[in-house]
């Protein structure tokens, strides 16, 4: 494994605004990802009693999402070293060198459905924790994923839901 990324505090994302459910790490891998994916999966099941996991693939990167007891979620991203780089404003490099960012391909059906499941879980946990505004944010994100899935079903690009152009009155 090469460079490491952590969501830690940054000027773009003060600690008070960081998500309450979930943590993540991202690794740049030299060579095939499979061995590291398997090693981290075994570690999280053995040491942290992971209940379930699923993969979200974006380009060459695999985000392995683990559900731990108590609805805690841990996301671990594995990227080939050539594709490792910033994917958002709060991205913080711990060590190593990131690769230049490349545009991602449009999400597939499984990715949109996986994100919908992810957002529903976060909404449920936010409601249980009585974090109403956070729950509203996750429910809104869930709605966006459902609209994107509906647009795909109707043959429109999944990026159209915000514009509502894929739904016409009949």
């Amino acid at each position: 494994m090469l460079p490491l990324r952590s969501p830690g505090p940054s000027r773009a994302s003060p600690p008070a605004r960081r998500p309450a459910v979930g943590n993540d790490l991202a690794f740049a891998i030299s060579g095939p990802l499979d061995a590291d994916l398997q090693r981290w999966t075994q570690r999280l099941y053995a040491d942290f009693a992971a209940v379930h996991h699923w993969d979200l693939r974006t380009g060459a990167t695999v985000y392995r999402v683990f559900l731990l007891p108590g609805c805690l979620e841990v996301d671990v991203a594995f990227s080939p070293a050539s594709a490792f780089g910033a994917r958002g404003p709060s991205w913080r490099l711990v060590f190593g060198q990131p690769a230049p960012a490349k545009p991602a391909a449009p999400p597939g059906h499984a990715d949109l459905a996986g994100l919908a499941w992810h957002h529903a879980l976060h909404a449920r946990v936010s409601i249980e924790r009585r974090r109403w505004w956070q729950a509203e944010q996750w429910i809104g994100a869930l709605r966006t994923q459902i609209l994107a899935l509906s647009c795909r079903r109707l043959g429109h690009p999944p990026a159209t839901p915000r514009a509502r152009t894929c739904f016409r009155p009949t």
Side-chain angles (χ1 to χ4, degrees):
M1 290 189 283
L2 296 171
L4 169 67
R5 176 247 182 227
S6 169
S10 71
R11 284 179 222 146
S13 178
R17 301 204 54 196
R18 291 176 59 199
V21 264
N23 297 297
D24 61 56
L25 291 172
F27 297 101
I29 308 296
S30 59
L33 304 180
D34 295 337
D36 290 300
L37 280 164
Q38 185 176 8
R39 188 172 347 143
W40 275 85
T41 301
Q42 289 172 346
R43 172 64 51 100
L44 270 98
Y45 276 93
D47 295 351
F48 298 98
V51 179
H52 183 70
H53 75 272
W54 61 279
D55 291 345
L56 173 63
R57 296 181 184 273
T58 302
T61 300
V62 177
Y63 295 90
R64 183 147 290 177
V65 180
F66 293 93
L67 180 61
L68 303 179
C71 291
L72 179 64
E73 176 191 317
V74 176
D75 307 337
V76 184
F78 301 87
S79 298
S82 62
F84 183 78
R87 299 291 180 261
S90 64
W91 197 85
R92 186 174 63 95
L93 187 67
V94 176
F95 61 85
Q97 290 292 339
K102 297 174 186 168
H109 177 81
D111 295 332
L112 293 171
L115 284 172
W117 172 87
H118 171 268
H119 298 342
L121 169 69
H122 280 267
R124 180 179 149 264
V125 170
S126 297
I127 290 167
E128 287 176 354
R129 294 179 178 178
R130 304 178 62 85
R131 295 184 174 183
W132 310 124
W133 289 110
Q134 190 176 41
E136 190 277 333
Q137 177 186 6
W138 286 114
I139 291 168
L142 172 62
R143 176 184 174 273
T144 299
Q145 295 305 313
I146 291 169
L147 287 172
L149 283 163
S150 298
C151 282
R152 269 187 67 91
R153 184 176 55 86
L154 296 172
H156 299 285
T160 1
R162 292 188 191 274
R164 298 180 188 209
T165 57
C166 63
F167 301 106
R168 300 193 197 315
T170 55

